[in-house]
Amino acid sequence: MWMPGKMASIAEGCVYETGLELTQTQRHGQLSCLLYCNHGFRVPYVCRLTVGDLKESWKMSPRIRIVAPSSGVLKMETSDKNGYQLMEVAYHIDFDGCINLTTGWKEFVAESGFEDGDVVMVMFSREDDSLTFKIYVL
């Protein structure tokens, strides 16, 4: 198993879920994603999805900070598992500074085929007034 502290310099800015271990295959997948599309994206967030994350809403780690209005709609994008998916999902930032994905998240999960235990990397980008989260399954 690979621990986040030993990653190549290209990914040192990643924010990892506490205690997360990646297999060598997951690490290679992460590096491929970073090398392919890192333009315009901010620090990626790597975590393991749980049953709770896949329900009506997903409260992300308080370690993730984005400059955005306190609520709105963002674009969720993925091209893993069930092919390309692009949907709009409502979000709000709570009093702890955590990003909460709400209306549309459950539908995005269903369409994308995410499952309990999937290790994902979320990349955040902002273009003008548009916020996009791109999710890769590692």
Side-chain angles (χ1 to χ4, degrees), residues 4-64:
K6 299 176 183 174
M7 181 162 254
S9 61
I10 190 168
E12 284 178 0
C14 289
V15 176
Y16 295 92
E17 178 182 73
T18 303
L20 179 69
E21 294 182 7
L22 300 180
T23 65
Q24 197 67 16
T25 302
Q26 290 167 333
R27 180 175 173 258
H28 286 289
Q30 180 187 18
L31 288 174
S32 295
C33 294
L34 287 169
L35 290 169
Y36 176 68
C37 66
N38 205 21
H39 63 284
F41 286 88
R42 301 293 179 238
V43 175
Y45 172 53
V46 181
C47 68
R48 184 176 311 280
L49 294 174
T50 66
V51 171
D53 299 332
L54 302 173
K55 294 191 177 190
E56 296 293 326
S57 64
W58 182 20
K59 182 175 181 172
M60 300 179 89
S61 169
R63 296 172 55 202
I64 303 301

Side-chain angles (χ1 to χ4, degrees), residues 45 58-66 69-71 91-102 124 133:
Y45 172 53
W58 182 20
K59 182 175 181 172
M60 300 179 89
S61 169
R63 296 172 55 202
I64 303 301
R65 300 283 188 220
I66 60 170
S70 61
S71 64
Y91 76 92
H92 70 270
I93 300 174
D94 67 17
F95 63 92
D96 291 334
C98 295
I99 303 163
N100 290 272
L101 303 177
T102 57
F124 313 93
F133 286 15

Side-chain angles (χ1 to χ4, degrees), residues 98-109:
C98 295
I99 303 163
N100 290 272
L101 303 177
T102 57
T103 306
W105 170 246
K106 184 177 181 180
E107 293 78 9
F108 181 76
V109 167

